[in-house]
Amino acid sequence: MNVLRTSSEDEMISEFLKAEYRSERFSEQIKKVMERLLLDDSIILFADLNNINENAARKRLLGEFRGYGLNRDLFENFPKEIQWSVCSFAGGDLNSIRYIDYSYWNELSQGTGSPLTAAQTILNGIEIYDQSNDGFVKAAEFIKGGGKFPRPILLTSDSEHFVIVEGHLRITAFALVPEKFNNIECFVGKCSGDDLGKWL
């Protein structure tokens, strides 16, 4: 893993929302929250990180949508003190990336939390909770064809071991074609080990 540049909470939030907005799983949910908050999709698709009001609106949106800053849902006990960077990863770094502690990902990875183990589960044709693996396979084919995904978002305390915050499907797709996980950019948040442990 190589640090390319520093980032910010505002940029992380913007990228998180952009990825979820384009996600088949979360798109309709986020659009309903945007309607309730009277927000136009331009605040996600054409984000101006220099606009204080926009940044505040996006933070509120992520809070209403996934619990960010409200200590609930995905962001329950999420670290408050985080240094954000954009980093480049190589194929071998997949060994150091783990899923969040969640039943589906635990089962898919056979209790290891490893996307590489999950990829083997998928290749073996095993479906978890009767959920189709087609999305992973399609995403892997997209990658093999040269397709580009939004940057996944990871947390770390030591810059050696990483936990996925956003981008579980994408990282799993890369695990199916690990040779394509070279010079792949991710947002990485660095926090204390204690704070990371409270979130996991």
Side-chain angles (χ1 to χ4, degrees):
M1 186 273 290
N2 294 311
V3 177
L4 300 178
R5 62 175 175 83
T6 58
S7 182
S8 65
E9 178 190 37
D10 291 332
E11 186 177 20
M12 180 280 295
I13 290 172
S14 176
E15 290 296 310
F16 191 111
L17 292 172
K18 191 178 297 182
E20 303 279 88
Y21 184 85
R22 294 170 174 168
S23 162
E24 290 184 8
R25 179 181 179 188
F26 293 109
S27 179
E28 289 306 313
Q29 296 177 42
I30 195 172
K31 287 177 181 177
K32 289 180 180 178
V33 177
M34 291 173 69
E35 287 179 7
R36 190 168 73 246
L37 297 179
L38 303 177
L39 294 175
D40 187 84
D41 61 5
S42 63
I43 201 169
I44 292 178
L45 300 179
F46 305 101
D48 180 1
L49 296 177
N50 294 314
N51 187 312
I52 296 175
N53 293 329
E54 271 197 24
N55 289 333
R58 279 187 290 270
K59 187 171 183 177
R60 182 185 178 196
L61 172 58
L62 188 55
E64 294 291 324
F65 174 48
R66 298 298 295 272
Y68 185 80
L70 302 178
N71 195 35
R72 62 173 173 80
D73 303 334
L74 174 63
F75 294 101
E76 184 176 359
N77 297 321
F78 196 70
K80 292 183 174 62
E81 299 295 326
I82 301 176
Q83 294 178 322
W84 292 101
S85 302
V86 175
C87 302
S88 175
F89 286 74
D93 292 322
L94 280 170
N95 291 297
S96 301
I97 296 176
R98 293 291 181 269
Y99 295 128
I100 191 174
D101 183 12
Y102 184 74
S103 58
Y104 176 81
W105 300 111
N106 293 341
E107 292 293 327
L108 191 68
S109 65
Q110 301 175 41
T112 67
S114 169
L116 291 169
T117 303
Q120 193 58 56
T121 301
I122 294 166
L123 292 173
N124 288 339
I126 300 172
E127 296 183 346
I128 306 302
Y129 303 143
D130 296 321
Q131 296 294 311
S132 172
N133 292 326
D134 288 350
F136 300 117
V137 176
K138 289 178 181 177
E141 290 298 320
F142 178 72
I143 292 169
K144 284 199 291 186
K148 303 295 183 183
F149 281 120
R151 300 180 184 101
I153 300 172
L154 314 174
L155 272 191
T156 185
S157 63
D158 58 10
S159 300
E160 294 181 1
H161 304 89
F162 305 87
V163 180
I164 303 169
V165 178
E166 194 283 326
H168 285 72
L169 185 147
R170 304 196 297 281
I171 293 292
T172 307
F174 275 114
L176 287 166
V177 284
E179 69 277 6
K180 295 294 185 179
F181 198 68
N182 282 302
N183 298 317
I184 298 301
E185 293 185 6
C186 299
F187 279 94
V188 176
K190 190 170 185 179
C191 61
S192 72
D194 286 345
D195 285 348
L196 182 58
K198 291 175 184 176
W199 177 63
L200 294 176

